[in-house]
């Protein structure tokens, strides 16, 4: 994620020249000095550090961007906020609801700008979906369904923990697919369709024990390999969500579909420049799903890029978020999702895990007001 964010900072001036603020890459921090020096040279950072506390202590640092494993999010974010730094944080906001609440309290008390990198909001086709939903074209919403499927952990010999596999270690990650993948789906869903009111979930850990890379010992696996939940939204619609790392043949299949009384939309990350739309008002002889190629200049963000018909990619969503964050410094408006927004997503994630553990429905207590 350090690469995707750095690319966003490096490219934003080229494509959003009207912005009043421009990012300066002052320092990059990582525990491995040789690796961080190579990273700094590759991406254009002025200096390096191996202690994040030293970075926060620097007077010439205005914003801290957290791309660490989840167990470090809270400590760094709280310290940065207390030092008066703006804070940008990778998702999920934290491992637990308690950690997330402390982070929200810290940025609000300090009054510092903050945002969380739920980047899929800023893929133009997804932003267009938001505009269509807000326009009322779909009519009353009945269903929201989403999935996020991967297959990279289908190996009983894969260890947990350590530099490359920290997502397999619950102490570091907080949860498995719920926090890593479903958090994306939940953030997008509540942005498009409003608050999730309650959930009923099941989770599964298919390999119960794995060797831990740091200890060399077999340990219980505490993360969820797969999760399915259904829910009620505040607007009366039903939701169905699935995420797994055990879907052979899928590396990053993220899709959503929304069904309304008048129309439906659906989107697929594998074809991210297209939004599919069905309008029941069409004449019967031409009624059917249409594929909207989201590359025209009057569609979200696309006036910044190429001629119509030429698509953009995953990395551009991060450039868009950098641009929106810099714009928010001009306008004074929040750059959503803020820590407060991400805290509401964390509430749903926690309710999902609690529901699966108890075998019962759980209220989320989400408030999007």
């Amino acid at each position: 994620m350090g690469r995707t964010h750095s690319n966003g900072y490096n490219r934003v001036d080229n494509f959003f020249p009207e912005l009043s603020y421009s990012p300066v890459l002052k320092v990059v921090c990582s525990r491995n000095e040789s690796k961080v020096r190579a990273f700094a040279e590759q991406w254009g950072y002025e200096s390096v550090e191996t202690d994040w506390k030293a970075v926060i202590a620097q007077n010439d640092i205005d914003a801290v961007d957290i791309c660490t494993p989840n167990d470090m999010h809270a400590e760094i974010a709280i310290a940065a906020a207390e030092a008066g730094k703006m804070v940008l944080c990778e998702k999920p906001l934290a491992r637990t609801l308690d950690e997330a609440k402390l982070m929200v309290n810290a940025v609000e008390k300090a009054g510092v700008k903050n945002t969380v990198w739920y980047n899929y909001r800023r893929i133009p086709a997804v932003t267009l979906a938001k505009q269509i939903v807000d326009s009322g074209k779909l009519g009353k919403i009945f269903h929201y369904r989403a999935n996020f499927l991967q297959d990279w952990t289908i190996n009983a010999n894969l260890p947990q923990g350590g530099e490359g596999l920290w997502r397999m270690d619950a102490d570091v990650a907080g949860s498995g697919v719920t926090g890593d993948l479903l958090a994306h789906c939940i953030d997008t869903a509540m942005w498009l369709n409003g608050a999730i009111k309650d959930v009923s979930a099941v989770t599964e850990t298919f390999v119960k024990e794995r060797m831990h890379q740091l200890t060399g010992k077999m340990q219980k696996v505490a993360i969820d390999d797969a999760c399915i939940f259904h829910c009620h939204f505040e607007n009366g619609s039903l939701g169905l969500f699935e995420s797994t790392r055990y879907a052979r043949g899928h590396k990053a299949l993220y899709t959503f579909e929304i069904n309304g009384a008048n129309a439906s939309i659906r989107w697929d990350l594998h074809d991210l420049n297209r939004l599919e739309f069905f309008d029941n008002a069409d004449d019967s002889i031409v009624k059917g799903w249409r594929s909207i190629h989201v590359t025209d200049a009057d569609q979200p963000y696309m006036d910044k890029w190429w001629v119509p018909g030429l698509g953009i990619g995953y990395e551009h969503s991060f450039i868009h978020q950098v641009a929106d964050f810099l714009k928010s410094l001009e306008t004074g408006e929040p750059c959503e999702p803020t820590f407060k927004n991400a805290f509401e997503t964390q509430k749903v994630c926690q309710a999902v895990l609690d529901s699966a553990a108890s075998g019962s429905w759980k209220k989320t207590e989400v408030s999007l007001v």
Side-chain angles (χ1 to χ4, degrees), residues 282-300:
D282 288 343
D283 291 338
S284 61
I285 59 171
V286 294
K287 187 180 295 184
W289 284 92
R290 71 184 73 165
S291 180
I292 305 167
H293 196 215
V294 187
T295 59
D296 281 336
D298 58 349
Q299 293 166 325

Side-chain angles (χ1 to χ4, degrees), residues 189-251:
M190 293 204 294
W191 185 53
L192 294 175
N193 195 42
I196 292 174
K197 185 168 62 173
D198 55 15
V199 301
S200 175
V202 292
T203 60
E204 186 57 68
T205 303
F206 295 111
V207 177
K208 310 299 184 185
E209 289 189 337
R210 294 183 184 271
M211 185 192 77
H212 199 289
Q213 290 214 94
L214 300 182
T215 66
K217 298 178 181 179
M218 293 295 290
Q219 292 183 202
K220 179 182 177 181
V221 177
I223 57 101
D224 44 305
D225 290 324
C227 178
I228 301 171
F229 77 88
H230 54 175
C231 66
H232 296 96
F233 285 85
E234 287 286 356
N235 65 7
S237 61
L238 298 181
L240 180 61
F241 294 76
E242 178 188 12
S243 186
T244 181
R245 293 176 181 151
Y246 275 71
R248 181 62 80 197
H250 294 297
K251 305 304 178 186

Side-chain angles (χ1 to χ4, degrees), residues 28-50:
V28 60
C29 180
S30 182
R31 289 169 288 192
N32 186 307
E33 185 171 357
S34 62
K35 287 184 178 180
V36 77
R37 288 194 180 280
F39 188 94
E41 183 176 351
Q42 179 180 1
W43 291 100
Y45 286 86
E46 294 180 7
S47 62
V48 301
E49 256 296 347
T50 56

Side-chain angles (χ1 to χ4, degrees), residues 157-171:
N157 296 319
L158 191 71
Q160 60 177 311
E163 183 177 338
L165 294 168
W166 61 265
R167 287 179 175 84
M168 303 285 288
D169 183 346
D171 289 339

Side-chain angles (χ1 to χ4, degrees), residues 90-107:
E90 254 304 323
K91 48 61 60 185
L93 184 59
R95 293 177 298 178
T96 66
L97 205 54
D98 288 342
E99 282 184 347
K101 182 59 175 174
L102 292 173
M103 295 169 72
V104 173
N105 290 345
V107 296

